[in-house]
Amino acid sequence: MKNVTLHNFFILDGFSELGALRPFLFIPFSILFVVSLSANFLLLYVVAVQRSLHSPMCILMAAMALVDLSIPVFCIPHMLLSFLLDWRGISLTGCLVQMFFIHFAGTCQSTLLVWMALDRYFAICKPLTYHERMAFPRFLKFMVPLVVRNVLLNSVLVGLVGTLSFCASNVMNHCFCEHMALVQLACGSTAINNLVGLLTIFLNPVADFIFIAGSYVVIFSSVLKSGKSGARALHTCVTHIVVITASLTIALVAFLSYRITNGLPAAVRVFISTLYMLFPSCFNPIIYGLRTAEIRKHILITLTC
């Protein structure tokens, strides 16, 4: 071990296969970054200033916009500088901090989708007690356990990475500090890191998806059994289902691409992970704005003033 160099500084070398074409990635990614910031800020502004939009569901949409706004901020500016000015370096501490906030914000996306499913369940299956159940003091009992879960899981995940020694290489084939991309550079056994990573996937996006799917089975069963017209219920739920499908599918593909043996080229894995950072943050506010009539009306008014 005396001749082994331990690294505490890393090179983020994602898309290095493109060679001289790599700097041109600045253009599409900067456009997506501006779209993400603009769309989410507009949704936040409209919900904040319009008192008629201060319903529980709209507030949850605004919270999702805040999370979608924060995820690119943690990684995209550094990535754009890397493309434009070739600034690829990051310290181990900076890498762990970036990793924690990216993964924590990602788990908050999943948690907000669960809260939205609860909102739809109470609105459609328990309409007479909806406002009582969605009152903030009572809703806290659903909020607090999931937030605590997110903090604990991500703290353990990142804390375990911080205990590793890195001697294999200090070149990370990624554009930001993704958990497994960094773990793969460690010396010795990383079995516990792989196990905790898979456990985090199961206890967060997978468990949340199972809960959300179950809640929608109950919702649609209730609508069919009650003999009501399901058109309105379906319309209010379709937006949520579209966002869930897009967000969780990309998240699971991004997480599992590093953990399942496959023939994916490194550049494809990096692209999928980067897409997970940017696509939901661009996609979610546009879908909410287009499909939610009240929000769409106020956005059009704001843009035409």
Side-chain angles (χ1 to χ4, degrees):
M1 291 296 294
K2 290 182 179 179
N3 296 324
V4 172
T5 301
L6 298 179
H7 303 293
N8 59 10
F9 188 83
F10 298 91
I11 306 298
L12 295 169
D13 203 33
F15 298 115
S16 59
E17 298 85 354
L18 296 178
L21 296 176
R22 189 175 183 270
F24 289 99
L25 290 175
F26 176 84
I27 298 172
F29 280 108
S30 61
I31 292 173
L32 288 173
F33 186 49
V34 170
V35 169
S36 170
L37 294 180
S38 303
N40 285 291
F41 180 79
L42 179 61
L43 181 57
L44 273 170
Y45 173 78
V46 167
V47 173
V49 299
Q50 297 296 331
R51 294 187 62 84
S52 61
L53 296 179
H54 291 180
S55 65
M57 190 59 174
C58 288
I59 291 173
L60 288 172
M61 289 181 186
M64 179 67 83
L66 183 62
V67 172
D68 288 339
L69 191 65
S70 65
I71 290 179
V73 169
F74 292 134
C75 63
I76 301 302
H78 187 278
M79 187 167 68
L80 293 178
L81 289 173
S82 170
F83 293 150
L84 190 63
L85 302 175
D86 207 32
W87 292 1
R88 308 189 191 197
I90 189 169
S91 67
L92 177 59
T93 301
C95 193
L96 294 176
V97 170
Q98 186 189 66
M99 184 190 301
F100 176 82
F101 282 109
I102 288 173
H103 285 277
F104 178 69
T107 57
C108 286
Q109 275 185 330
S110 178
T111 298
L112 282 164
L113 292 174
V114 171
W115 292 341
M116 289 180 182
L118 279 172
D119 176 271
R120 293 299 84 199
Y121 170 77
F122 291 141
I124 295 170
C125 299
K126 309 286 183 182
L128 298 179
T129 59
Y130 171 72
H131 292 290
E132 179 186 350
R133 292 175 182 272
M134 289 301 293
F136 186 73
R138 294 198 64 176
F139 198 60
L140 274 176
K141 68 181 180 181
F142 300 110
M143 297 172 63
V144 172
L146 295 181
V147 173
V148 171
R149 176 200 63 174
N150 296 348
V151 173
L152 290 177
L153 286 175
N154 286 286
S155 296
V156 171
L157 187 76
V158 175
L160 286 172
V161 178
T163 65
L164 296 174
S165 298
F166 300 93
C167 61
S169 172
N170 71 333
V171 178
M172 195 186 314
N173 196 351
H174 217 298
C175 293
F176 59 90
C177 289
E178 202 277 338
H179 174 251
M180 285 305 299
L182 181 59
V183 168
Q184 289 173 352
L185 303 180
C187 314
S189 174
T190 58
I192 185 65
N193 300 86
N194 284 282
L195 179 62
V196 171
L198 289 171
L199 188 64
T200 300
I201 293 173
F202 178 77
L203 292 177
N204 201 287
V206 173
D208 289 350
F209 179 77
I210 292 171
F211 178 87
I212 292 167
S215 69
Y216 275 102
V217 169
V218 173
I219 288 170
F220 287 113
S221 297
S222 175
V223 170
L224 293 173
K225 287 179 181 179
S226 65
K228 302 175 186 175
S229 172
R232 180 173 175 79
L234 181 63
H235 178 77
T236 58
C237 293
V238 163
T239 302
H240 189 208
I241 292 171
V242 169
V243 170
I244 290 166
T245 303
S247 299
L248 294 185
T249 299
I250 294 175
L252 288 174
V253 171
F255 292 156
L256 295 177
S257 65
Y258 278 89
R259 294 174 173 85
I260 297 177
T261 302
N262 55 65
L264 283 177
V268 174
R269 287 204 302 266
V270 174
F271 176 74
I272 292 172
S273 294
T274 308
L275 191 65
Y276 164 63
M277 292 290 103
L278 273 172
F279 180 75
S281 64
C282 295
F283 175 79
N284 292 350
I286 293 172
I287 291 297
Y288 288 138
L290 290 176
R291 289 199 53 84
T292 308
E294 297 87 350
I295 292 178
R296 182 174 67 247
K297 180 181 72 174
H298 289 293
I299 285 176
L300 291 175
I301 293 171
T302 301
L303 292 176
T304 54
C305 284

